[in-house]
Amino acid sequence: MARTNRRLSRATRYARYAGGPDPLAAPVDLTEALDAIGEDVMAGYSPEQAMREFLRRGSKDRAGLDDLARRVAERRQELAQKHNLDGTLQEIKQLLDSAVLAERKQLARDAGLDEGDRALAEMQLDNLPASPAAAVSELNGYDWQSGAARADFEKIKDLLGREMLDQRFAGMKNALENATDDDRAAIAEMLNDLNALLDAHTRGTDTPEQFDEFMQKHADYFPENPQTIDELLDTLAQRAAAAQRMRNSMTQEQRDELDALAQQAFGSPELMQSLAQLDENLQSLRPGENWGGSERMEGQEGLGLGDGTGVFQDLADLDELSEQLSQSYNGSRLDDLDLDKLTRQLGDQATVDARALQQLEKALHESGTMKRGSDGQYKLTPKAMRALGKALLRDVAEKLSGRQGNRDLRQAGAAGDRSGATREWAFGDTEPWDVTRTITNALTRTAGEGRPTGSGIRIEIGDVEVHETEARTQACVALLVDTSFSMAMDGRWVPMKRTALALHTLITSRFRGDELQLIGFGRAAEVMQIEQLIGLDAMWEKGTNLHHSLLLANRHFRKHPTAQPVLLIVTDGEPTSHLEPNGEVYFNYPPDPVTVAYAVRELDNSMRLGAHTSFFRLGDDPGLARFIDSMARRVGGTVVAPEADDLGAAVVGSYLGSRKPGGGFGAAGSGFDELFGRSDGLWAR
C-alpha cells in the first residue's frame, strides 16, 4: 500500500491554472451594483440601461467596459503609430548593399582578375538602378567573385520566399531559415495539396477523410491544429485577409517593388502562382472577411511581410474587441467577449476584469434582481427594491445618528419605549431580551437542580425574560411628493425618489402595521406604487396640485379611522393648480388665491382628521417659505428646509418622531389672510 502511495505521489504534477473563473475569487457582490443601478433607475434610466451603465463604469475595485475599451483603443493606436510597412524592402536593400560592397572589395584586391573584366564588373555595380527590385533582377545573372557577396544575394531570394509564406502561415519565416531544396519541395507539395482540398471543398466534393489525410501529411505546417476543414479555412482566411489589408495599406511604389521581387522568391515563380491560387480560393470561400481594409502606418519601426501580417491580425482582433466591448448591437451580452483575444492583446489582468463583469452581469440576471415585464422590458424586482431600500435606509441612519446622538434605525420602531419592567418571554414576542435577568434565572435554576459549579450554564426557554414596552399606536402615513418640472430642473428628482423608497422600506420592514400611501402631485395628483414612483421619468409639465394630493391623502386617512394620521409633504413650489368640482384641473401662475384656498381647505380637513403634518420645503424662494410657514402654523405642523441630500433623513426622522407615544405638534395661528391680503373668509370654506 505504501509503495502504491509513493508511486501516485511521484506521478503528481502541478501546473499554472488556466481557463475558467478564478477558483479563489470572492463571490460576486451585487451590493455596489444594485446601489448604482438603483440610482440610475431613479434618475430615469431603464433597469437594463442602468445595468449597462454600471458595467461600462465598473466598480471601485474592477475596471469597467469603458476602461477596457480605452485600453484597446490605446493598444491599436500604439501599433499603428509604431510601425511602417517597408521592413522587408529595407532588409532587402541592406542585403543588396552588403553584397555590392563585398563584391567591390573583392574586385579591388583580386590581382589575378583580367582588367577588362574588372572594369566591366565595376561599371555594372556602379550603374545599378535605385529600385531594389530592378537591381536584384539585373544582378540575377551576375558572376559573383566574392563568396560572401553571393551568399548575401542568395539570402534575398530566400528572405522573400520565407516572408511570402510567413504572410499565409504564421511562423514559416523562422521555420524555413536555411531551407534546403527538399524543404522547398515539401512546401510546394503542401500548397498543391491544400489548393486541391480547397478546390474540392468549393465544388462540394471533399470528404472528411480527405481532410484527415491532408492533416496527417502536413500537420507540422498548422500549429493551430484545426479539427475540421472549416476551422482550417477560418485560420487561413483570417491571416490571408490581414495580409491583403497590409498590401492595401502600402504605397503603390511599395506594392510594385514587392510584386517585382516576389518573382525571385526561392527562385521559383511557381511559388507565387500557388500562393495566388490559395488567396483566390480563400476569398471565394470566406467573402465575409475584411479583404478591402487599410491602415495608415507611419511609425519608425519597419515591419516585414510576415510580422506585418501578424500586426494586421492584431488590429483586426482589437477592432473585434472594441465592437464587443461597445455592447451596442442588438442582443449584446458580455458572454460575447472573446477572452482569449483579450488576453493576447491586453494581458491577464484585463481578462480577470472582463470575467468579473461577465459574472456580475450573469448574477444580476439570475439573482432575481431584474425581470422582464409584459412589455418585454426589464424591471427591478421587489427583491431588488427591498435591497436598494435597505441601502438607502442605512444611509439615512448614518445621517440621523450624526444629528440625533447615534440613533440606530435598526432598533427604532421594533417596539415601543421601554416601561422599565420585564416579563417571561412568550411565543411571538419581538421585544429585546433582558440579558441580566435571563442569565440570573438560568444560574438559579441550575443551582436548584443540584448541578456542580463549573459544569456550565444552559439557558432554557423558561429562563428568558424580555423588556416590556409601551404599546404603539398604528399610523396611517401619506407621503406627498412634488413631481412638478421644477423638481427635475433643480436636481431634486432623485433625492425625492430616494426619500420615498427609504420611508417605504422602513415602514414595510419595521412598522408593518402602519399604512403608507405614496402620492405624487404635479399638474394633477396620483396614488403611486413604489415601483411606479421609482421608475417615473422626469415630468416637464408645469403645475403643483397640492389640493388634489391632499384630497387623496384625506381619503387614505378616512379608510383607517383607528390609525394615527401622519401627513408628510415634500415640495419646492406654491400651489399653482387645483381640482375643479367637475374633475377638471385648473392651472395658473402666479398662484391664484382660489387655488391656494382649495389647498388650505383640504389641509384643514387633514387637521380635523387628527393628522400630524410636516412640510419639507426645498429651495430658498422667499414666497414659498412664507406660504409653507403659514400653512404649518395654521395646522400646528412643522417645517423642515433640508438640503436635497438630507431630505431622506429629514422625512424618516419626522415620521419616527410622529410615532412616539404622546408625540405631536403644537398648534399655531394661520396668517393666510395677511399673506394673501384677503379678509373674506375664503380659507374657512
Side-chain angles (χ1 to χ4, degrees), residues 23-216:
L24 301 180
V28 176
D29 184 5
L30 296 180
T31 304
E32 182 184 358
L34 184 57
D35 289 349
I37 290 171
E39 287 289 323
D40 285 343
V41 168
M42 286 187 281
Y45 287 86
S46 71
E48 180 76 4
Q49 289 173 322
M51 181 188 72
R52 294 294 174 198
E53 284 301 309
F54 179 76
L55 294 174
R56 301 208 68 79
R57 294 193 301 266
S59 64
K60 292 181 294 185
D61 303 322
R62 293 289 185 195
L65 294 177
D66 282 346
D67 185 66
L68 292 174
R70 174 187 57 78
R71 292 166 62 188
V72 164
E74 288 175 350
R75 171 66 176 158
R76 195 187 195 288
Q77 185 178 31
E78 176 190 353
L79 289 177
Q81 293 181 348
K82 179 180 180 181
H83 301 293
N84 62 62
L85 303 180
D86 64 350
T88 295
L89 290 174
Q90 290 298 324
E91 194 171 354
I92 289 172
K93 190 174 185 306
Q94 290 172 5
L95 287 172
L96 184 60
D97 290 344
S98 177
V100 170
L101 180 59
E103 181 68 6
R104 289 183 186 279
K105 291 179 179 179
Q106 182 64 34
L107 292 174
R109 63 173 174 262
D110 192 350
L113 186 63
D114 181 78
E115 288 301 324
D117 293 339
R118 187 197 314 276
L120 185 60
E122 289 176 345
M123 184 183 300
Q124 186 174 359
L125 296 177
D126 289 340
N127 292 285
L128 286 174
S131 162
V136 169
S137 178
E138 185 167 324
L139 291 172
N140 201 36
Y142 180 80
D143 183 16
W144 297 93
Q145 302 299 310
S146 167
R150 182 183 298 106
D152 282 342
F153 186 75
E154 291 300 324
K155 285 180 182 178
I156 293 174
K157 298 179 181 180
D158 180 67
L159 172 66
L160 282 169
R162 291 188 292 127
E163 288 279 19
M164 292 293 179
L165 289 168
D166 202 37
Q167 277 195 300
R168 278 75 173 184
F169 308 94
M172 195 71 80
K173 178 179 178 181
N174 294 330
L176 290 179
E177 191 170 6
N178 301 319
T180 65
D181 290 340
D182 290 340
D183 294 330
R184 297 187 183 97
I187 289 290
E189 183 180 10
M190 182 274 290
L191 288 173
N192 289 333
D193 291 347
L194 177 58
N195 281 321
L197 175 64
L198 298 187
D199 286 339
H201 188 70
T202 301
R203 297 191 303 272
T205 60
D206 63 311
T207 63
E209 291 75 19
Q210 185 179 1
F211 170 77
D212 292 340
E213 181 181 351
F214 173 82
M215 289 303 299
Q216 289 174 6

Side-chain angles (χ1 to χ4, degrees), residues 554-603:
N554 290 336
R555 185 176 66 183
H556 177 56
F557 295 150
R558 292 187 183 99
K559 287 181 180 178
H560 305 278
T562 61
Q564 169 62 57
V566 177
L567 180 61
L568 307 171
I569 304 172
V570 178
T571 185
D572 71 345
E574 301 170 66
T576 55
S577 62
H578 67 266
L579 203 62
E580 295 279 10
N582 63 2
E584 295 293 325
V585 173
Y586 172 85
F587 167 78
N588 189 71
Y589 184 85
D592 190 311
V594 175
T595 297
V596 175
Y598 273 110
V600 172
R601 184 178 64 186
E602 280 308 310
L603 189 65

Side-chain angles (χ1 to χ4, degrees), residues 433 435 437-449 451-464:
W433 284 20
V435 177
R437 292 297 299 270
T438 298
I439 294 177
T440 300
N441 292 341
L443 284 169
T444 304
R445 179 182 49 75
T446 300
E449 293 173 352
R451 296 177 60 186
T453 58
S455 60
I457 300 172
R458 180 174 180 177
I459 298 176
E460 296 182 354
I461 290 296
D463 301 326
V464 178

Side-chain angles (χ1 to χ4, degrees), residues 206-437:
D206 63 311
T207 63
E209 291 75 19
Q210 185 179 1
F211 170 77
D212 292 340
E213 181 181 351
F214 173 82
M215 289 303 299
Q216 289 174 6
K217 186 176 180 181
H218 303 295
D220 291 343
Y221 298 110
F222 303 95
E224 302 88 357
N225 192 28
Q227 299 300 305
T228 64
I229 190 170
D230 285 324
E231 290 183 12
L232 175 65
L233 279 169
D234 289 340
T235 300
L236 291 173
Q238 288 168 9
R239 190 158 180 90
Q244 183 61 48
R245 291 195 301 275
M246 180 180 180
R247 176 181 172 83
N248 297 343
S249 304
M250 293 178 176
T251 65
Q252 186 62 50
E253 181 182 1
Q254 289 172 329
R255 287 195 291 268
D256 292 342
E257 285 288 318
L258 288 172
D259 288 344
L261 285 166
Q263 302 304 318
Q264 309 296 325
F266 282 158
S268 171
E270 291 78 8
L271 172 65
M272 289 306 300
Q273 294 172 3
S274 296
L275 291 177
Q277 183 182 355
L278 174 62
D279 290 345
E280 183 179 346
N281 282 326
L282 292 174
Q283 290 196 41
S284 173
L285 291 167
R286 289 294 185 269
E289 292 290 338
N290 182 10
W291 299 93
S294 62
E295 298 287 340
R296 294 191 61 176
M297 309 287 281
E298 299 176 344
Q300 300 298 315
E301 185 176 315
L303 285 172
L305 297 180
D307 291 340
T309 300
V311 168
F312 273 77
Q313 280 191 291
D314 287 340
L315 293 173
D317 286 350
L318 291 166
D319 288 340
E320 186 176 346
L321 287 170
S322 180
E323 182 179 7
Q324 293 168 359
L325 289 167
S326 74
Q327 294 285 286
S328 58
Y329 48 93
N330 291 334
S332 60
R333 295 288 295 270
L334 283 184
D335 285 342
D336 301 340
L337 193 57
D338 191 325
L339 297 182
D340 290 334
K341 289 181 179 178
L342 191 66
T343 302
R344 285 198 303 270
Q345 300 301 332
L346 298 185
D348 292 336
Q349 184 56 49
T351 305
V352 171
D353 291 336
R355 187 175 283 119
L357 293 173
Q358 287 179 333
Q359 293 170 351
L360 179 60
E361 180 189 49
K362 184 177 180 181
L364 286 169
H365 282 291
E366 296 180 354
S367 65
T369 299
M370 293 187 294
K371 67 177 181 181
R372 288 192 185 275
S374 57
D375 56 358
Q377 299 297 315
Y378 276 103
K379 292 179 172 58
L380 291 180
T381 63
K383 176 182 177 182
M385 296 290 288
R386 287 193 298 271
L388 180 58
K390 289 178 181 178
L392 296 175
L393 204 53
R394 284 194 298 270
D395 181 58
V396 167
E398 291 177 2
K399 293 181 177 180
L400 282 176
S401 65
R403 296 187 306 189
Q404 300 183 6
N406 295 324
R407 176 172 187 160
D408 190 345
L409 281 182
R410 292 173 299 175
Q411 301 300 326
D417 292 337
R418 294 182 183 181
S419 66
T422 64
R423 59 177 173 78
E424 184 178 348
W425 177 87
F427 179 78
D429 284 341
T430 60
E431 290 80 5
W433 284 20
D434 185 322
V435 177
T436 302
R437 292 297 299 270

